[in-house]
Amino acid sequence: MRIDISEFGLQEGQEADAALAVFRALAASRTADNPELVFPKGSYHFFPERAAEGSYYITNHDQGGTRRTAFPILNRNGLIIDGQGSEFIFHGPMIPFILDNSANITLRNFTIDWARPMFEQGIVTAASETSFDIQLAANADYEMRSDGLYFEFGGGRLPVWGFHDIDPINRTHAHQSGDRISWNSFKKLKLSEAGPGLIRVTGDIRHIPRVGNRITMRFGRRENPGIFIKGSDKVEIGNVTLHHAPGMGLVAQRSSDITLRGFDVRLNPDSGRMVTATADATHFTNCRGTILIEDCLFENQLDDPCNVHGIYVRVSERISEDTLLVRFMHEMTVGIDFTGMGDIVRFINNESLLPYAEASVRSAELVNEEYMLITFDQPLPSAVGEYHVIENVTWNPDLTVRRCTVRANRARGFLITTPGRVLLEHNTISAPGAGIKISGDANSWYESGAVQDVTIRYNTFLDCNYCYPDWGRAVIDIDPEIENPESHEECYHRNIRIQENVFDTFESPLVYGHSIDGFTFTGNVVRRSGNYPMHGGRPYTIELRAARNTVITGNRFEGGEPRAALLENAEVNLPVES
Amino acid sequence: MRIDISEFGLQEGQEADAALAVFRALAASRTADNPELVFPKGSYHFFPERAAEGSYYITNHDQGGTRRTAFPILNRNGLIIDGQGSEFIFHGPMIPFILDNSANITLRNFTIDWARPMFEQGIVTAASETSFDIQLAANADYEMRSDGLYFEFGGGRLPVWGFHDIDPINRTHAHQSGDRISWNSFKKLKLSEAGPGLIRVTGDIRHIPRVGNRITMRFGRRENPGIFIKGSDKVEIGNVTLHHAPGMGLVAQRSSDITLRGFDVRLNPDSGRMVTATADATHFTNCRGTILIEDCLFENQLDDPCNVHGIYVRVSERISEDTLLVRFMHEMTVGIDFTGMGDIVRFINNESLLPYAEASVRSAELVNEEYMLITFDQPLPSAVGEYHVIENVTWNPDLTVRRCTVRANRARGFLITTPGRVLLEHNTISAPGAGIKISGDANSWYESGAVQDVTIRYNTFLDCNYCYPDWGRAVIDIDPEIENPESHEECYHRNIRIQENVFDTFESPLVYGHSIDGFTFTGNVVRRSGNYPMHGGRPYTIELRAARNTVITGNRFEGGEPRAALLENAEVNLPVES
């Protein structure tokens, strides 16, 4: 049943607030058959003031407090929201879409943007070895206080905590800029007002931007993604463009079968802005079924385009023979429904990262954001002890990424940490760090998911690691965080096939990896783009340690012989072409 | 079924955390018949770290964020928790008991206290006309920063924002101290460290404490009451003593039939502390059924002993003929389930406070903490407009308070704003402000509940208003906030009977009131305590305006003739004894 949302008092225009009309239309659609909420094509504005509210733990976001949302899709089965080409423009801190405990949901044909984004930008007008100047836009609503530079967002003023240096020609992070004037390095800068809207930067500067470059200035936390999906099944997002979010573009946790088709996180060319989402474009934690991402463009967000992983939780206390208290270890992955009745979980030694037992969950209950009480269907092995970690075997997705382009963001390209079947094909990948990162650790980020079956084929890798070494060792960086991987009998990752890709990048290292059983690098073509000077940070084209069953053959190196491959403690089946 | 909580790993002692044992015992008790959770008599400590967590809007508390609780009693019907005389000792910010959507719950036989309370105290060691010195305890964990005096609580440091001057002999707020070195007046003080643990207060001081008096220092917000009851029915609390809470002692909202019998909010004589709860001892918002309070002692809390009221919400927008968007107006009463299906609500002119229409609620949904969407079973009168307010007719309780003692707290005694049947008898009441306050307003606090039937009999009023005029005009202060009450045809309050009480207080004004139809003051005995000098602030014993059907007769004035009664624009049926 088609429901025209304009029947609920929907109004267009900057002054009108569409939130309540959507709230009422969603309520009315509960009793409709196959409801399809349709927007007359137009521009609709959403403000937090009269928007729905909920309390959520959102993976890899800042936690705490309640969030406002324009589209609260809660406990629904079967719903289509069709913007018919409309623009949805948000104001201040809010989450455009929340899908919670829902199934068979389709979002399509609209654009998400913010009237005022959660960053500011300026132009470098002067630079010396010891300082640089940033000219803000004439209308910038800023305040230079004794403790820093503040900008308006959502009715309050937030302090800038990081700069990024953006090349205005290709809109990428400038060569070797990285995070070197952000985070801790930002704290060593001194900011002063040298004139109206002119910010002078002195102090201990690790990276001096060029005159003419854009500086994007970060303030605010990552609290509000564009689309947040939790405990939901069969979600399809098609022909949706997100120009900005004060958080990630799309986040899903403990959800299954998510399809993104023509979901772009991309700059609005009319805006002049150099940043899209302020964190990852897409992020999937403890999902299952298939994540299918096709024909998407993810650019210029302030973190990775796509991260798929599980989480390790740590054993905190053995409460009884069959019951454990476990703890969420990373402050950004607390409060997640890590497991539930019937799931199989695996016990893992936190040092070797190798599993030693499995069990089935009888019940699981969050005590609070940090702790979960899990009861199993059988007594646990006596080996299960404090500091060991648990991963969920049942909730791991297959991932297919096809015909997507990722570029010009901060940090890495695809982050893949799932034992499901992974296929990346026909994508174009460029990043200032690694183009693909395959990791896993149980001591810092606690991201689980040793890979079992990864195929990377027919992709084009354009320049990667142009901010080396900030975010990667090689174009494909396989890096489980294990001390002394050679000392363990088993490898952490398995079956990684890199086949028939084109590497068109300025630097030699193509693959770095360790603790891999089954590695194939065949049929690839390697060219030198010459777009950046070589950094020479690592001498090897392919560098493997603690690897077995490796096949490196049939690759073509155009424009110069590759450097040697380093295969230390790695069993190589065929000679390397070098 | 009796469940011994020690079967769940409960441990006694300062180092042990009983929270998880309680969490598990509560979970296990879900499947038991008539579960009775029993504690072996002892001292049990509770820490927030592994305590259950929830997101709640708690009436008349600070809002926002999640709260930790030791006893999450959620969606339960039939549960007894028996401490058997145990001490429950809490650490940092947490709510000992939350009862949410539960019925037939009994809590009994325990004491609630905090290892470290959310206030600090010191002794006045020197005082002049322009300064005074406070000596902190030798072990006080304090820090004097450039922006104020900080103390430790819950692992963080919180700034002091108010002082109270306590007479160490009778442990009351010192004569005429009031809030004069707290809140805004505190901001005009200058604090410095004159020696180890010696705080010197200078600046613009409105009240100089005496040497030897205790200064209690307030920090933190009121976020964590001792017992929070929400959406629950038939709750009985018996033989429970609360020595401290970093918030109110007990709070209930949209709950029915609550009995407190021997629920004391009282000082622990061994602690040397001069403060119990940091806000009201008990507070009831939008409850119904009967609130029965018997044999309780409420002393030394930092706000009133008992407040019973509804809330007015304001019409924000007429969405359609039968649907309103309403807004919670006071920041401390947001997010409350103001109404639900089947309730009768009443529309009220915000200026006259007089009702002009009623309607039945078909559905009500919180949009967010500030707004609620209410649909009625019929089109609304056209008069319903912005700024008008709505009160809930269905949810108003009867109140019986019997054989209770209230004393030595900050502010007033009983605050009664409910149209239900109210009986206060055989109580002993003393307060630095009014002993009883009957109010109602739709422009600042938005507390609803014009009284219809109040009987105040056989009580003893000891000294009241010894901090005049901070918290009251007379011992019984009846004060709906209406501009020009004489200009309205109807009175706001009705049927207030003050009969056969003893007033043993140092000052003349016994009753101040306006907009009352039906006022009886008979058979009372009035004595002069002589405990404080008369402040002479108001010249009349009984002062009524816009009152009808008043009966003032048969009262005995011992120890001196009363001053005249002022009966301005009030119809008096019988002569006043003066």
Side-chain angles (χ1 to χ4, degrees):
Chain A
M1 188 181 141
R2 206 175 148 90
I3 297 173
D4 188 332
I5 208 154
S6 58
E7 287 165 24
F8 295 87
L10 186 74
Q11 288 180 294
E12 262 204 272
Q14 176 84 32
E15 299 298 314
D17 180 359
L20 205 61
V22 169
F23 185 87
R24 292 179 59 227
L26 281 170
S29 72
R30 282 193 171 274
T31 52
D33 278 345
N34 301 316
E36 183 177 350
L37 260 58
V38 178
F39 285 74
K41 185 177 178 180
S43 290
Y44 302 100
H45 288 256
F46 296 87
F47 296 81
E49 193 191 10
R50 308 197 304 177
E53 184 180 54
S55 188
Y56 289 99
Y57 292 105
I58 304 177
T59 185
N60 293 71
H61 277 68
D62 288 302
Q63 307 296 354
T66 54
R67 327 275 172 135
R68 299 280 168 110
T69 182
F71 289 83
I73 300 169
L74 317 178
N75 313 309
R76 299 298 296 257
N77 190 347
L79 176 67
I80 297 172
I81 295 186
D82 191 337
Q84 299 194 116
S86 292
E87 273 189 310
F88 297 154
I89 299 167
F90 298 86
H91 295 256
M94 61 192 303
I95 300 175
F97 290 82
I98 293 180
L99 281 61
D100 183 9
N101 190 36
S102 293
N104 300 300
I105 308 295
T106 299
L107 311 180
R108 64 188 183 206
N109 303 326
F110 56 81
T111 295
I112 292 172
D113 203 355
W114 255 255
R116 157 117 186 100
M118 198 175 73
F119 65 88
E120 185 66 57
Q121 60 192 37
I123 297 179
V124 179
T125 53
S128 72
E129 281 184 12
T130 56
S131 83
F132 59 96
D133 288 353
I134 307 167
Q135 181 65 55
L136 305 179
N139 62 357
D141 187 0
Y142 75 101
E143 196 183 329
M144 183 59 87
R145 298 186 190 168
S146 62
D147 66 340
L149 174 61
Y150 285 72
F151 289 101
E152 189 279 335
F153 184 73
R157 287 199 181 276
L158 300 173
V160 171
W161 56 263
F163 288 153
H164 288 280
D165 175 14
I166 310 290
D167 181 330
I169 307 302
N170 56 20
R171 296 173 174 171
T172 60
H173 275 63
H175 179 234
Q176 295 300 81
S177 60
D179 274 344
R180 297 171 206 183
I181 44 177
S182 188
W183 300 100
N184 279 329
S185 298
F186 179 84
K187 292 179 188 161
K188 296 178 182 164
L189 306 181
K190 283 190 185 132
L191 274 55
S192 59
E193 201 172 2
L198 189 67
I199 307 302
R200 180 151 298 159
V201 183
T202 56
D204 181 3
I205 308 178
R206 275 184 70 198
H207 168 82
I208 301 278
R210 281 194 198 180
V211 171
N213 276 12
R214 301 298 187 275
I215 300 296
T216 58
M217 290 165 261
R218 304 191 69 172
F219 47 82
R221 298 153 48 114
R222 46 158 88 166
E223 284 178 332
N224 293 287
I227 299 172
F228 172 50
I229 303 168
K230 167 179 185 275
S232 293
D233 181 36
K234 295 192 179 55
V235 175
E236 190 160 340
I237 297 175
N239 193 25
V240 168
T241 295
L242 184 142
H243 291 309
H244 179 68
M248 293 184 180
L250 178 144
V251 183
Q253 64 200 39
R254 201 169 165 92
S255 292
S256 46
D257 290 327
I258 296 172
T259 298
L260 310 183
R261 197 170 271 131
F263 173 66
D264 288 357
V265 175
R266 73 153 98 191
L267 295 173
N268 180 345
D270 301 334
S271 72
R273 295 177 192 165
M274 297 286 174
V275 165
T276 56
T278 66
D280 294 356
T282 64
H283 196 110
F284 304 86
T285 299
N286 263 59
C287 288
R288 72 176 175 186
T290 296
I291 298 171
L292 174 61
I293 304 177
E294 285 186 342
D295 301 305
C296 298
L297 166 63
F298 301 139
E299 68 176 6
N300 288 80
Q301 65 278 353
L302 286 176
D303 215 346
D304 313 308
C306 180
N307 187 343
V308 179
H309 66 91
I311 51 176
Y312 291 119
V313 298
R314 186 197 273 180
V315 176
S316 176
E317 192 180 326
R318 256 184 104 110
I319 301 290
S320 69
E321 279 233 308
D322 64 355
T323 301
L324 291 178
L325 183 72
V326 302
R327 184 170 184 179
F328 296 97
M329 294 308 294
H330 193 274
E331 60 176 14
M332 283 200 181
T333 53
V334 297
I336 290 172
D337 291 321
F338 164 74
T339 189
M341 195 176 63
D343 287 2
I344 306 295
V345 304
R346 189 180 280 153
F347 297 90
I348 289 164
N349 181 301
N350 60 304
E351 288 186 357
S352 69
L353 284 188
L354 296 177
Y356 61 85
E358 285 189 357
S360 173
V361 173
R362 205 171 65 202
S363 70
E365 192 172 7
L366 276 173
V367 176
N368 57 40
E369 64 175 33
E370 272 182 287
Y371 288 96
M372 191 175 221
L373 207 51
I374 307 178
T375 302
F376 299 91
D377 67 348
Q378 59 191 28
L380 298 172
S382 60
V384 174
E386 232 182 314
Y387 298 107
H388 286 192
V389 294
I390 304 177
E391 72 173 329
N392 193 323
V393 178
T394 306
W395 283 79
N396 288 299
D398 294 335
L399 170 69
T400 297
V401 183
R402 195 176 275 139
R403 297 185 303 273
C404 293
T405 298
V406 302
R407 67 182 179 212
N409 58 294
R410 172 180 171 276
R412 289 79 51 99
F414 290 92
L415 274 64
I416 300 163
T417 327
T418 174
R421 190 164 173 276
V422 176
L423 174 64
L424 268 70
E425 61 179 13
H426 299 295
N427 302 292
T428 302
I429 300 169
S430 171
I436 292 175
K437 173 98 185 180
I438 297 175
S439 189
D441 81 279
N443 295 295
S444 64
W445 281 88
Y446 291 86
E447 295 193 354
S448 76
V451 304
Q452 303 292 323
D453 180 356
V454 174
T455 301
I456 298 167
R457 67 184 182 196
Y458 317 142
N459 301 287
T460 301
F461 291 90
L462 301 180
D463 293 313
C464 287
N465 292 307
Y466 51 82
C467 292
Y468 179 90
D470 290 25
W471 298 306
R473 295 179 183 84
V475 175
I476 297 172
D477 187 353
I478 303 159
D479 179 35
E481 293 183 19
I482 307 168
E483 298 272 330
N484 307 316
E486 297 83 352
S487 68
H488 303 294
E489 266 186 36
E490 301 286 320
C491 292
Y492 185 76
H493 292 301
R494 285 167 200 273
N495 304 322
I496 299 174
R497 290 172 292 274
I498 302 166
Q499 298 165 330
E500 299 189 54
N501 301 281
V502 174
F503 290 83
D504 193 359
T505 186
F506 67 100
E507 181 55 272
S508 293
L510 303 179
V511 180
Y512 170 92
H514 59 254
S515 199
I516 309 165
D517 186 346
F519 174 84
T520 305
F521 188 87
T522 60
N524 299 287
V525 176
V526 183
R527 299 177 188 134
R528 289 203 194 281
S529 76
N531 289 330
Y532 295 98
M534 290 176 73
H535 54 67
R538 298 191 87 85
Y540 304 106
T541 300
I542 294 180
E543 185 176 350
L544 298 178
R545 289 187 300 136
R548 297 184 195 157
N549 298 309
T550 63
V551 179
I552 302 172
T553 188
N555 303 294
R556 201 165 79 238
F557 291 83
E558 301 178 354
E561 283 303 289
R563 302 188 192 179
L566 174 73
L567 302 165
E568 194 179 277
N569 192 21
E571 178 192 328
V572 183
N573 291 6
L574 285 166
V576 185
E577 300 207 2
S578 68
Chain B
M1 189 184 138
R2 206 174 148 91
I3 297 173
D4 187 333
I5 209 154
S6 59
E7 286 164 25
F8 295 86
L10 185 74
Q11 287 181 296
E12 263 203 273
Q14 176 84 32
E15 299 299 314
D17 180 359
L20 204 63
V22 169
F23 186 87
R24 293 179 59 228
L26 280 170
S29 71
R30 284 195 171 273
T31 51
D33 278 344
N34 302 313
E36 182 177 348
L37 259 59
V38 178
F39 285 75
K41 185 175 178 179
S43 289
Y44 302 102
H45 289 256
F46 296 87
F47 297 81
E49 193 191 11
R50 309 199 303 178
E53 184 180 52
S55 188
Y56 290 99
Y57 292 105
I58 304 177
T59 186
N60 293 71
H61 277 69
D62 289 301
Q63 308 296 354
T66 52
R67 328 273 172 135
R68 300 279 168 110
T69 183
F71 289 83
I73 300 170
L74 316 176
N75 313 310
R76 300 298 297 258
N77 190 345
L79 177 66
I80 297 171
I81 295 185
D82 191 336
Q84 297 193 120
S86 291
E87 270 189 313
F88 297 155
I89 299 166
F90 298 85
H91 295 256
M94 62 191 303
I95 299 176
F97 290 82
I98 292 181
L99 280 61
D100 184 7
N101 190 36
S102 292
N104 300 303
I105 307 296
T106 299
L107 311 181
R108 66 188 182 207
N109 303 327
F110 55 81
T111 296
I112 292 172
D113 203 354
W114 255 255
R116 157 119 184 101
M118 198 175 72
F119 66 88
E120 186 64 58
Q121 60 192 38
I123 298 179
V124 179
T125 54
S128 71
E129 281 183 10
T130 56
S131 82
F132 61 94
D133 288 354
I134 307 167
Q135 181 65 53
L136 305 178
N139 61 355
D141 187 358
Y142 75 102
E143 195 182 331
M144 182 60 85
R145 298 186 190 166
S146 63
D147 67 341
L149 174 61
Y150 285 72
F151 288 100
E152 189 278 336
F153 183 73
R157 287 200 181 275
L158 301 172
V160 172
W161 55 265
F163 287 155
H164 288 279
D165 174 15
I166 310 291
D167 180 329
I169 306 302
N170 54 22
R171 294 173 175 172
T172 60
H173 276 61
H175 181 234
Q176 295 299 81
S177 60
D179 273 344
R180 297 170 205 182
I181 46 177
S182 187
W183 300 100
N184 280 329
S185 299
F186 179 84
K187 292 179 187 160
K188 297 179 181 163
L189 306 181
K190 283 192 185 128
L191 274 54
S192 59
E193 200 171 1
L198 188 65
I199 308 303
R200 180 152 298 160
V201 184
T202 56
D204 181 1
I205 309 176
R206 274 184 72 201
H207 168 83
I208 301 278
R210 284 195 195 176
V211 171
N213 276 13
R214 300 298 187 277
I215 300 295
T216 59
M217 290 164 263
R218 304 190 71 172
F219 48 82
R221 298 155 47 116
R222 47 157 88 167
E223 285 179 332
N224 293 288
I227 299 172
F228 173 49
I229 303 169
K230 168 179 184 274
S232 293
D233 180 37
K234 296 193 179 58
V235 175
E236 190 160 339
I237 297 175
N239 193 25
V240 168
T241 295
L242 185 142
H243 290 310
H244 178 69
M248 293 185 179
L250 177 144
V251 183
Q253 64 200 39
R254 201 169 165 91
S255 292
S256 46
D257 292 327
I258 296 172
T259 299
L260 310 183
R261 198 170 272 131
F263 172 65
D264 290 355
V265 175
R266 72 153 98 192
L267 296 174
N268 181 344
D270 300 334
S271 72
R273 295 178 192 164
M274 297 286 174
V275 165
T276 56
T278 67
D280 295 356
T282 66
H283 196 111
F284 304 86
T285 299
N286 264 57
C287 288
R288 73 176 175 187
T290 297
I291 298 171
L292 175 60
I293 304 177
E294 286 185 340
D295 301 306
C296 296
L297 166 64
F298 301 139
E299 67 175 6
N300 290 77
Q301 67 278 356
L302 285 175
D303 215 346
D304 313 308
C306 180
N307 186 346
V308 179
H309 66 92
I311 53 175
Y312 290 120
V313 298
R314 187 197 271 179
V315 176
S316 175
E317 192 180 328
R318 257 185 102 109
I319 300 290
S320 70
E321 279 232 307
D322 64 354
T323 301
L324 292 178
L325 184 72
V326 301
R327 184 168 185 181
F328 296 96
M329 294 307 295
H330 193 274
E331 62 175 13
M332 282 199 182
T333 53
V334 296
I336 290 173
D337 291 321
F338 165 72
T339 188
M341 194 176 63
D343 286 2
I344 306 295
V345 305
R346 188 182 278 155
F347 296 91
I348 290 164
N349 181 299
N350 61 305
E351 288 186 356
S352 69
L353 284 190
L354 297 176
Y356 61 86
E358 286 190 357
S360 172
V361 173
R362 206 172 65 202
S363 69
E365 193 171 7
L366 276 174
V367 176
N368 58 38
E369 62 174 34
E370 271 182 287
Y371 289 96
M372 190 175 224
L373 208 51
I374 308 178
T375 302
F376 298 92
D377 66 348
Q378 58 191 26
L380 298 172
S382 60
V384 174
E386 231 180 314
Y387 298 109
H388 286 191
V389 294
I390 304 177
E391 71 173 329
N392 194 323
V393 178
T394 307
W395 284 79
N396 287 299
D398 296 333
L399 170 68
T400 299
V401 183
R402 196 176 276 139
R403 295 184 304 272
C404 293
T405 297
V406 303
R407 67 182 178 210
N409 58 295
R410 174 181 170 276
R412 288 79 49 101
F414 290 92
L415 274 65
I416 301 163
T417 329
T418 174
R421 191 163 173 275
V422 176
L423 174 64
L424 268 70
E425 61 180 12
H426 299 295
N427 302 291
T428 302
I429 299 169
S430 171
I436 292 177
K437 173 98 185 180
I438 297 176
S439 189
D441 84 280
N443 295 293
S444 64
W445 279 89
Y446 292 84
E447 296 194 352
S448 76
V451 303
Q452 303 293 322
D453 181 356
V454 174
T455 301
I456 298 167
R457 67 183 182 197
Y458 318 143
N459 302 288
T460 300
F461 291 90
L462 301 180
D463 294 311
C464 286
N465 291 305
Y466 51 82
C467 292
Y468 180 89
D470 290 24
W471 298 305
R473 294 179 183 84
V475 175
I476 297 173
D477 187 353
I478 302 160
D479 179 34
E481 293 183 20
I482 309 169
E483 297 272 329
N484 307 317
E486 296 83 353
S487 68
H488 303 295
E489 265 187 37
E490 300 286 320
C491 291
Y492 185 78
H493 291 301
R494 285 167 201 273
N495 304 323
I496 299 173
R497 291 172 292 273
I498 303 165
Q499 298 165 329
E500 300 189 51
N501 301 282
V502 173
F503 290 84
D504 191 359
T505 184
F506 67 101
E507 180 55 273
S508 292
L510 302 180
V511 180
Y512 170 92
H514 60 253
S515 201
I516 308 164
D517 186 348
F519 174 84
T520 305
F521 189 85
T522 59
N524 298 289
V525 175
V526 184
R527 299 177 187 134
R528 288 200 194 286
S529 77
N531 288 332
Y532 295 97
M534 291 176 74
H535 53 68
R538 297 190 87 85
Y540 304 106
T541 301
I542 294 182
E543 187 176 347
L544 298 177
R545 288 187 303 137
R548 294 182 197 161
N549 298 310
T550 61
V551 179
I552 302 173
T553 186
N555 302 294
R556 201 166 79 237
F557 290 84
E558 299 178 354
E561 283 303 290
R563 300 187 194 183
L566 173 74
L567 302 164
E568 195 180 280
N569 193 18
E571 179 193 325
V572 183
N573 290 7
L574 283 169
V576 184
E577 301 206 4
S578 66

